[in-house]
Amino acid sequence: ERICNTLTLFGCYETATYSFTHPKSLEMIGRPDERDKCIRISNPLGEENSIMRNNMLHSMLEVLALNQNQRNENIKVFEIGTIYKADELPLKELPTEEKVLAVAGCDGMDFYDIKGIIEELFSVLHITDYEFKPESQNPSYHPGIAASVWIGGKYAGIIGEVHPDVLDRYSIDGPAYVAEIEFGKILEGINRSVKYKPLNRYPAVSRDLAILIDDNVLAADVEKVIKKYAGKTLEDLKLFDVYKGKQIPEGKKSMAYSATFRAADKTLNENDVNKIIDRILSMLSKELGAELR
């Protein structure tokens, strides 16, 4: 209920789609090799509803296509649906039924919108142990604009821009963005022992930090190093600029962060903050080859 309410507040409409689908749906999403792994219905109403779905992507794209045809613009939808997987075919035992949270949108969205929705949802659920990793092997998604989602060190799903070829098959004016996350992994990742603390009465100190780093280094890796060596005084960290171009060497990029520091027992002075910044820069250089810009 909290997940549904939160996604509704983000402007998403809840949908309910059929669990059975057309065999050609797997070809439409670019994964025809999975057709032989799908469970066929013994007495289907028709060929278009003859297999049980093993993904939520097709259902979400059908909803987006229908809404575009009805001139419903800026549509964002979500569904907690069930997918069906068999250990072997023909079935000898009941299939595995997995719940999946799917979020989809198009018209005015970008990758950071869909990523932001998932991050905010995790924040509401107090899920803190998660990360995004680049994903380029899933044929349904754009190889340069997709990421796998990991919760508690376990693979949980994928988010990203749907591949243009897939959108063409659905006649969707792209781009379109979808997240598919295992519902069970979400429940496992929820922190149910939330601790509260009084507001800090000491003032915060903000510093901007611009570094020069190899173009292939991920922002997540940079942030891991900063958070690891900044200590408990780091209250907030935000990436506000990434620049490549003139005055930046080939194969490099400039990344600018805004960091906020605050101690729980005293007012931080200039010397305190300088020591923290120096430690961060030293470890960024040692572990990632970064340098101060």
Side-chain angles (χ1 to χ4, degrees):
E1 184 178 349
R2 184 183 298 178
I3 290 171
C4 293
N5 289 341
T6 301
L7 291 172
T8 301
L9 288 173
F10 293 158
C12 300
Y13 291 88
E14 186 172 8
T15 65
T17 56
Y18 290 122
S19 294
F20 34 81
T21 187
H22 200 294
K24 289 185 178 179
S25 65
L26 292 163
E27 294 178 0
M28 294 182 70
I29 65 173
R31 306 204 302 252
D33 55 313
E34 295 181 13
R35 183 191 291 187
D36 294 337
K37 302 176 184 178
C38 288
I39 302 163
R40 294 195 66 86
I41 300 172
S42 58
N43 57 340
L45 296 174
E47 180 66 11
E48 68 275 10
N49 295 315
S50 61
I51 64 170
M52 304 302 292
R53 66 184 176 191
N54 69 346
N55 69 86
M56 288 294 295
L57 178 60
H58 172 69
S59 299
M60 292 294 98
L61 292 178
E62 282 195 323
V63 172
L64 293 183
L66 175 62
N67 276 275
Q68 277 199 354
N69 289 337
Q70 299 296 325
R71 299 184 182 277
N72 292 327
E73 299 179 355
N74 301 319
I75 188 70
K76 289 188 289 187
V77 296
F78 76 94
E79 179 175 348
I80 299 173
T82 305
I83 63 174
Y84 302 82
K85 297 181 179 180
D87 293 330
E88 59 178 326
L89 291 174
L91 284 175
K92 294 182 180 179
E93 297 181 353
L94 291 175
T96 301
E97 299 183 24
E98 295 180 1
K99 283 195 177 296
V100 174
L101 169 65
V103 183
C106 57
D107 295 331
M109 287 188 69
D110 61 22
F111 175 79
Y112 296 102
D113 289 322
I114 193 75
K115 180 173 178 280
I117 288 174
I118 299 304
E119 288 179 315
E120 287 298 318
L121 177 63
F122 286 174
S123 176
V124 169
L125 298 174
H126 305 295
I127 297 175
T128 56
D129 186 11
Y130 70 89
E131 61 180 321
F132 300 96
K133 299 180 181 180
E135 171 61 56
S136 59
Q137 302 303 312
N138 192 313
S140 301
Y141 291 85
H142 194 299
I145 318 176
S148 57
V149 183
W150 297 72
I151 301 176
K154 300 177 182 178
Y155 176 82
I158 186 171
I159 66 171
E161 180 179 322
V162 180
H163 198 288
D165 292 343
V166 174
L167 294 181
D168 286 343
R169 298 183 192 113
Y170 287 88
S171 300
I172 295 175
D173 293 331
Y177 299 87
V178 176
E180 301 173 88
I181 305 176
E182 295 177 33
F183 195 71
K185 294 291 196 309
I186 294 175
L187 297 183
E188 289 175 11
I190 294 175
N191 181 5
R192 303 181 188 277
S193 58
V194 180
K195 296 181 179 180
Y196 295 88
K197 60 182 180 181
L199 291 173
N200 197 318
R201 57 181 176 152
Y202 296 100
V205 179
S206 295
R207 286 285 186 87
D208 289 346
L209 186 65
I211 58 172
L212 201 63
I213 199 164
D214 289 343
D215 193 24
N216 60 355
V217 176
L218 301 178
D221 293 333
V222 175
E223 291 168 15
K224 280 182 183 178
V225 173
I226 294 176
K227 291 176 180 178
K228 180 179 179 180
Y229 295 102
K232 295 181 180 180
T233 57
L234 181 65
E235 185 176 75
D236 190 35
L237 180 67
K238 292 181 180 177
L239 175 66
F240 67 87
D241 183 62
V242 178
Y243 175 73
K244 292 183 286 186
K246 293 182 179 180
Q247 301 179 342
I248 301 297
E250 188 72 23
K252 299 280 186 177
K253 62 183 174 184
S254 170
M255 304 180 72
Y257 285 90
S258 175
T260 302
F261 302 93
R262 193 196 305 260
D265 56 352
K266 68 174 185 176
T267 298
L268 293 174
N269 58 39
E270 194 76 10
N271 188 48
D272 294 329
V273 178
N274 286 340
K275 287 181 179 178
I276 298 171
I277 295 294
D278 290 343
R279 182 168 65 245
I280 291 172
L281 289 173
S282 174
M283 299 313 297
L284 283 173
S285 174
K286 182 178 179 180
E287 296 192 11
L288 300 177
E291 58 184 274
L292 183 67
R293 187 181 173 203

